[in-house]
C-alpha cells in the first residue's frame, strides 16, 4: 500500500497561520476580504463556493459571494471591474464554470494581479513563467506544498504532468520546473501515455476524468498527486486516479478527497491575507 | 548526413510578405516603425541591432535605435514609457544584455502587449500560456515556423527542450505544447540529460553553450533545432550543437548560422508590421 499523502494536517497548519495574520490585520483596522464572483447555478459549484465562505469565516477572512444575474460577458466584466476598484476587496476569485459562450480568457485580465488570488489573469500566468512575484493558481500551488510538506525532493527528479489546462496542468508544470524538476507535460494527443507516465518519479494527474490513471501509468515507488475532483454516479467525489489499482504500485499517493483539495482552499485564504497585507 | 533545416528560404518568404504589408501601410499613411532600446555597448549586440535596422529598411519598416546613456533602471524605464505612449512607434524591443544589476523582469512590463513584438512582457508570456493572442518571443516562434516550413509534424511527437530561459526555452515549450507535442523541459539540474534528450523525436537546444549537445544526446533520425548563438574564439558564430558529431545521427538539423537566426529577424519585422496593422 502506498503512503497516504494527506493534505489535512498541512491545510490545518496553513489555516492557523492565516488566522493569526488575519487577526493582526483586523486589529490594525483592515479586515481581509475576498470576493467570489459566481455566474452559474450549478449545484456542485454553489456547494464548493459556500465551503470556501465557511472556511474563510473560521479564520477571520470575510468572503462575499457576488452572484451575477443574467451573466453575460458584459455583466460579469462590470462586476469584476467594480471589485477591482473596491479598496475593501483584497482578493477576487472568478469561479468556474462560466456560462456557455463566456470564456475565462475574456474576463480574467480584468482581475488586477495584486487581487488575483487564484492566479487566473494573464499577468499572473506570465509572472509565474518569468519568475516574478505573483499568485499561482491555488490548486497548482497546493500540489507543490503537499510535496514539500511530505518531504518529497524535486530537484533533478523526473516529473510528468497529465493534463495541460491553464488552471492546473500548465502552472503546476511551471512550479515543478522552478523547483528544478525535469518536467514533461502530457495530454490527450500524447502517444503511449502509460509509457510516458511510467518515466515519472513524481506524477501529477489533472486530466479531469474519473479513474483515468491506473497501475499501468505508474512506476513502482512513484509519488502520485491526484488533482481530480470528479463526481461519481452516487454523488461522491472521486479523483482522476483509480486508487484501488495504483495503491499497490505507487510509493506515495494523495487521496481524493483529503489530498490536494483542503490545501487548495487553505491557500486561497492565505493568498487573500497576503493580498490584504499588500504582498503575494 | 542530416537534412539541412535552413531558415534562409523561409526568412526570404516572410520578408517578402512583410514588405508587401509595409508598402500597403505606408500607402495608407502609416509607416510601420519599431524601436530598439539599447543599454549596452557590447560590440556583438550593437552589430546585431544594426543588422535588424538594415533588414527593416529593406522591407520598408522604420527601425530606430534608442541608446540609453547612463542606463539605470530609471533611465531605461523612462525611455520605454515614452515609446509606449508614442503613436508613431508600433513595436518596441528591449535589447539584452542589460547592464549589471538591471533585469529584464524589472522593465519588460513597461512594454504594452500591443507593442511587445519580442514577447518580453509578463502579459505576453501569460497570454502565450493561456492561449489568447499575443506576440511570442521571436526566437521561440522561429523554431516552430522552421519546423512547419520543412513539414515536420508535431502532434503527438515527443519534444525535448534543453534550456528553460524565459526568452527561449519556456516559450518554445508552450508553442510545442500548443502544437500538440508531448513536451519535456530539461536544464542544468536534469539527471542524465543525454538519456532524456534521446527520447526526443524533436530536440530544441537553447542552453547557450557552444557545442554542448553531441551525438550522445540525439536519437537516430531525430529533428534537431539549434537555437544557440555563441561566439567562438575566432569570432565566428557557433551553435549549441556540435554539428560535426550530431550530423551523423540526426535526421534533420538546423544550421548555425542560417537556421533559426534569419527567421527570428524576419519574424520581428512581421510582428512590427502586424502591430502597425493593429493586430498580433
Amino acid at each position: 500500500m502506498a503512503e497516504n499523502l494527506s493534505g489535512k494536517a498541512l491545510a490545518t497548519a496553513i489555516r492557523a497561520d492565516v488566522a493569526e495574520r488575519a487577526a493582526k490585520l483586523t486589529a490594525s483596522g483592515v479586515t481581509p476580504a475576498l470576493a467570489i464572483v459566481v455566474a452559474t447555478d450549478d449545484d456542485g459549484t454553489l456547494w464548493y463556493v459556500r465551503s470556501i465562505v465557511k472556511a474563510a469565516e473560521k479564520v477571520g477572512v470575510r468572503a462575499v459571494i457576488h452572484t451575477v444575474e443574467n451573466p453575460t460577458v458584459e455583466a460579469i466584466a462590470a462586476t469584476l471591474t467594480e471589485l477591482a476598484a473596491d479598496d475593501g476587496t483584497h482578493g477576487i476569485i472568478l469561479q468556474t464554470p462560466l456560462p456557455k459562450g463566456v470564456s475565462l480568457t475574456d474576463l480574467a485580465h480584468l482581475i488586477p494581479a495584486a487581487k488575483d488570488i487564484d492566479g487566473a489573469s494573464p499577468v499572473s500566468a506570465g509572472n509565474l513563467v518569468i519568475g516574478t512575484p505573483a499568485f499561482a493558481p491555488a490548486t497548482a500551488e497546493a500540489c507543490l506544498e503537499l510535496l514539500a510538506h511530505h518531504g518529497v525532493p524535486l530537484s533533478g527528479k523526473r516529473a510528468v504532468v497529465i493534463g495541460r489546462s491553464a488552471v492546473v496542468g500548465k502552472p503546476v508544470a511551471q512550479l515543478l520546473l522552478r523547483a528544478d524538476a525535469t518536467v514533461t507535460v502530457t495530454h490527450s494527443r500524447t502517444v503511449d501515455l502509460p509509457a510516458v507516465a511510467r518515466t515519472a518519479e513524481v506524477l501529477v494527474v489533472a486530466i479531469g476524468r474519473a479513474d483515468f490513471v491506473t497501475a499501468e501509468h505508474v512506476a513502482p515507488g512513484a509519488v502520485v498527486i491526484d488533482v481530480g475532483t470528479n463526481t461519481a454516479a452516487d454523488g461522491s467525489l472521486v479523483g482522476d486516479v483509480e486508487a484501488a489499482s495504483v495503491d499497490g504500485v505507487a510509493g506515495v499517493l494523495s487521496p481524493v478527497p483529503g489530498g490536494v483539495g483542503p490545501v487548495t482552499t487553505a491557500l486561497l485564504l492565505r493568498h487573500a491575507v497576503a493580498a490584504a497585507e499588500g504582498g503575494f
Side-chain angles (χ1 to χ4, degrees), chain A residues 39-85:
Chain A
T40 178
D41 51 11
D42 172 62
D43 276 344
T45 305
L46 297 182
W47 178 87
Y48 172 67
V49 165
R50 281 193 292 263
S51 78
I52 296 177
V53 173
K54 272 184 224 160
E57 278 168 3
K58 280 187 192 158
V59 294
V61 172
R62 203 160 63 92
V64 180
I65 297 173
H66 294 257
T67 305
V68 184
E69 307 295 340
N70 189 12
T72 58
V73 172
E74 292 72 23
I76 303 169
T79 301
L80 291 174
T81 304
E82 203 173 295
L83 292 166

Side-chain angles (χ1 to χ4, degrees), chain A residues 23-42:
Chain A
K24 264 191 208 157
L25 282 163
T26 303
S28 76
V30 178
T31 302
L34 67 89
I36 309 173
V37 177
V38 176
T40 178
D41 51 11
D42 172 62

Side-chain angles (χ1 to χ4, degrees), chain A residues 14 117 138 141-143 145 262-272:
Chain A
I14 294 171
I117 59 171
E141 189 176 344
C143 298
E145 292 272 343
V263 180
T264 300
T265 305
L267 286 176
L268 281 174
L269 302 176
R270 187 166 83 186
H271 289 177

Side-chain angles (χ1 to χ4, degrees), chain A residues 17 21 27 30 41 56 71 78 138 151-152 164 187 196 206 209 221 234 248 260 278:
Chain A
D17 168 61
R21 291 159 67 182
V30 178
D41 51 11
V152 177
R164 55 172 161 174
H187 45 79
V196 179
R209 288 169 59 181
D234 67 356
V260 172

Side-chain angles (χ1 to χ4, degrees), chain A residues 136-205:
Chain A
T139 307
E141 189 176 344
C143 298
L144 275 284
E145 292 272 343
L146 202 52
L147 290 165
H149 178 72
H150 288 268
V152 177
L154 290 172
S155 180
K157 297 293 174 189
R158 294 285 314 256
V160 174
V161 178
I162 302 183
R164 55 172 161 174
S165 73
V167 180
V168 190
K170 285 175 175 177
V172 90
Q174 292 299 332
L175 292 170
L176 288 164
L177 199 54
R178 188 190 288 181
D180 291 332
T182 298
V183 184
T184 300
V185 180
T186 67
H187 45 79
S188 57
R189 302 296 180 87
T190 294
V191 174
D192 199 355
L193 178 62
V196 179
R198 280 197 307 271
T199 67
E201 293 167 283
V202 175
L203 181 65
V204 178
V205 188

